[in-house]
Amino acid sequence: MPVLIAWLGSRGANRQHACVVPSPRMGYAPRDMSSAVTTIAPTSELILRADTTFAVRNRWAMADIVGGARLWRLALTLGWLDIRLRYRGSMLGPFWLTISTGVMVGALGVLYSTLFKINVREYLPFLALSQVLWGFLAALVSEACAAFTEAEGVIRSVRMPFFVFSIRTLIRNAIALAHNIVVIVVVFAIFSIWPHWEGLMAIPGLLVWCVDALALTLLLGGFCARFRDIQPIVNSVMQIAFFMTPVIWKPDQLGPKRIEELALNPFFDLLEIVRGPILNSPIATTTWVGAIGFSLVLCVISWAFFVRARGRVTFWV
């Protein structure tokens, strides 16, 4: 009668214990063994190949994207659960972030309108909208670096498309953005400034943001899983970009000769295609060209990296 013998080495001792597990073909269990161990779980074959072509990897990456998109309800639930766990035990929850953003916008608005000698009615709505939108971008970039590492336990224990974690990160930050929109509405209501019908042009800009967010999450999520020193560098770059981008200062303060150079700043292009329509200000064609061009480059780089590194992310986290 065939039996399966497992040798278990005991730590700290030079001895081995034999555990006899009956084969499923035995049909019975010995008297001194529990019937709970009479069956053996079926084994699955794992094939590791290092000679896969780019076409095969590209097909697997595409299957990952499609599979993750089909699990959008799961990603939505995970993103909402992240917000609830982050503010667990808090009375106001995410609205604490809304209050802190509102206080900062009010304080900076009064201060910088005096320093820049700009009318508060003109400057404060600009600052409120810019600060909320930039906070969303900065938080998204920062959390994209940890999209896979923070889900280490799930990635190692459950076979799930990596694209689910990208959608999860986007939804989590979108929920936080929805809470901070209250600050924009309050400031616009105080000064009776509302966007016109041209404000609907911000919707295509938001769609561009969503595509860029998913691509950036796949890129930085895998890259930071391999090199853990990248995330502090990314955070430092975002701090520098905050001062180099018109967030607390207006673009027209540079003058007509230097304002065209802002089109070379991808953060300005992405910010302006959403901020401009809401503030009823015209958007230059170069701004849209720069935003779409930057998005295409980001998507190409992200896809090339994801196709190459998708099968290794599990071993990096």
Side-chain angles (χ1 to χ4, degrees):
M1 297 181 182
V3 296
L4 181 65
I5 302 178
W7 294 92
L8 302 177
S10 59
R11 183 177 300 177
N14 296 325
R15 57 184 181 180
Q16 292 177 330
H17 300 278
C19 176
V20 181
V21 181
S23 172
R25 291 180 295 177
M26 291 179 64
Y28 74 96
R31 295 181 180 180
D32 57 344
M33 296 183 62
S34 171
S35 60
V37 296
T38 57
T39 59
I40 300 178
T43 59
S44 58
E45 185 178 4
L46 178 62
I47 302 177
L48 298 177
R49 297 182 58 183
D51 58 343
T52 53
T53 62
F54 179 81
V56 174
R57 293 177 178 177
N58 187 76
R59 185 170 64 251
W60 288 346
M62 184 62 68
D64 189 285
I65 300 297
V66 174
R70 291 176 179 175
L71 296 176
W72 65 270
R73 294 182 179 86
L74 174 62
L76 178 63
T77 303
L78 292 175
W80 177 255
L81 182 62
D82 289 339
I83 295 294
R84 295 193 61 180
L85 292 177
R86 180 180 298 179
Y87 297 98
R88 181 179 55 183
S90 174
M91 295 181 61
L92 297 180
F95 285 104
W96 279 115
L97 182 61
T98 305
I99 294 174
S100 62
T101 303
V103 172
M104 182 176 60
V105 167
L108 293 180
V110 175
L111 175 62
Y112 283 103
S113 63
T114 304
L115 295 177
F116 297 150
K117 297 181 181 180
I118 305 177
N119 187 7
V120 178
R121 177 183 175 84
E122 179 185 355
Y123 178 70
L124 198 57
F126 168 84
L127 178 63
L129 181 59
S130 302
Q131 190 67 39
V132 170
L133 294 179
W134 180 264
F136 170 75
L137 290 177
L140 187 61
V141 172
S142 179
E143 295 185 12
C145 298
F148 296 152
T149 54
E150 69 178 6
E152 174 185 354
V154 179
I155 292 176
R156 290 186 175 183
S157 59
V158 180
R159 186 176 182 181
M160 187 180 302
F162 293 106
F163 195 59
V164 172
F165 305 105
S166 298
I167 304 176
R168 172 188 183 180
T169 304
L170 174 61
I171 291 176
R172 182 171 63 227
N173 287 275
I175 295 175
L177 175 63
H179 286 83
N180 286 334
I181 289 179
V182 177
V183 177
I184 302 175
V185 174
V186 170
V187 173
F188 278 36
I190 292 176
F191 296 100
S192 299
I193 299 177
W194 302 103
H196 300 159
W197 287 106
E198 291 79 3
L200 295 177
M201 288 300 298
I203 297 178
L206 291 174
L207 294 178
V208 174
W209 280 22
C210 292
V211 174
D212 291 348
L214 296 175
L216 189 68
T217 306
L218 293 177
L219 177 61
L220 290 181
F223 202 68
C224 293
R226 178 62 181 88
F227 304 100
R228 302 302 174 94
D229 297 331
I230 300 299
Q231 185 171 3
I233 298 177
V234 171
N235 293 333
S236 299
V237 171
M238 292 302 297
Q239 291 179 358
I240 298 174
F242 172 77
F243 295 102
M244 299 294 294
T245 306
V247 178
I248 58 177
W249 51 275
K250 304 190 69 173
D252 53 10
Q253 292 180 263
L254 291 178
K257 296 182 179 180
R258 301 294 300 274
I259 194 173
E260 296 180 357
E261 299 178 1
L262 285 176
L264 301 177
N265 185 351
F267 294 102
F268 168 75
D269 295 334
L270 292 175
L271 188 63
E272 191 65 17
I273 61 176
V274 177
R275 180 179 60 186
I278 298 177
L279 293 176
N280 303 319
S281 61
I283 303 178
T285 305
T286 55
T287 302
W288 270 107
V289 172
I292 295 177
F294 170 75
S295 300
L296 290 177
V297 172
L298 176 62
C299 290
V300 170
I301 296 176
S302 176
W303 182 254
F305 176 79
F306 185 64
V307 170
R308 179 71 177 177
R310 175 187 167 275
R312 308 175 185 179
V313 173
T314 305
F315 303 96
W316 289 348
V317 296

